[in-house]
Amino acid sequence: MGFLDRLSGRVAYDPADDEDFEADDGVYDDYYEEDASSISPIHSVDRGEIARIVTVWVASYKEIRDFAVEFRDGMPVILNLSEAPDGERARIVDFALGLCFGLDGLFSRISEDVFLLTPHAVKLDSRGTDENHDFAH
């Protein structure tokens, strides 16, 4: 009997007829004799209060409320300034730095146009190389 015949259900499968099937010889008995009282129940992992990260594209200083309220409420914010003119960008960055300082957060540069604002309750880890990364510069 072929695998496809068994899979399609056209032929009833009997493990005793299968040459690849080996009967249980008691090798796994140790696993079945475990005391059920020693097994701990499954518990959900506490993921904390942070369930999302907010990404905001800001092109002018008039739009700072879009990320300031989210950050004030404790959400990490990815601030993308790729569409902001240089003069506006400097004002927005100054405001974001002040916001992070005032709320005891961390302001990190990810790239030339992208910044990460991390609330004080969120820890920022860096992985991938042995080299220390200081995103704050």
Side-chain angles (χ1 to χ4, degrees), residues 53-108:
I53 298 174
V54 179
T55 303
V56 181
W57 283 261
V58 177
S60 74
Y61 190 77
K62 295 176 185 177
E63 300 171 350
I64 60 172
R65 182 170 173 73
D66 294 346
F67 72 88
V69 171
E70 297 285 353
F71 185 75
R72 183 185 65 194
D73 290 343
M75 291 293 117
V77 174
I78 297 174
L79 180 61
N80 189 323
L81 301 178
S82 60
E83 298 174 4
D86 289 340
E88 292 286 303
R89 183 180 309 193
R91 291 180 67 198
I92 296 167
V93 168
D94 285 344
F95 175 81
L97 280 166
L99 181 66
C100 288
F101 179 78
L103 296 176
D104 200 25
L106 179 64
F107 182 87
S108 307

Side-chain angles (χ1 to χ4, degrees), residues 97-136:
L97 280 166
L99 181 66
C100 288
F101 179 78
L103 296 176
D104 200 25
L106 179 64
F107 182 87
S108 307
R109 172 180 242 129
I110 303 299
S111 72
E112 188 67 30
D113 299 326
V114 180
F115 303 90
L116 175 63
L117 287 67
T118 311
H120 71 281
V122 177
K123 182 181 176 192
L124 181 62
D125 287 335
S126 174
R127 307 208 186 209
T129 65
D130 294 335
E131 177 183 328
N132 245 350
H133 293 319
D134 185 5
F135 291 113

Side-chain angles (χ1 to χ4, degrees), residues 2-3 6 10 12 14 16-18 21 26-27 29 31 51-52 80 91-92 94 123 136-137:
F3 172 74
R6 289 186 296 207
R10 289 184 283 196
D14 183 8
D17 294 335
D18 191 346
F21 178 78
V27 175
D29 288 344
Y31 295 106
R52 65 186 175 104
N80 189 323
R91 291 180 67 198
I92 296 167
D94 285 344
K123 182 181 176 192
H137 295 295

Side-chain angles (χ1 to χ4, degrees), residues 5-53:
D5 292 329
R6 289 186 296 207
L7 187 62
S8 68
R10 289 184 283 196
V11 178
Y13 176 66
D14 183 8
D17 294 335
D18 191 346
E19 62 273 357
D20 294 330
F21 178 78
E22 294 179 21
D24 183 0
D25 57 2
V27 175
Y28 298 105
D29 288 344
D30 293 341
Y31 295 106
Y32 297 111
E33 294 174 7
E34 188 173 329
D35 181 17
S37 64
S38 69
I39 299 173
S40 61
I42 297 175
H43 298 286
S44 63
V45 176
D46 181 20
R47 295 185 181 186
E49 296 295 318
I50 304 300
R52 65 186 175 104
I53 298 174

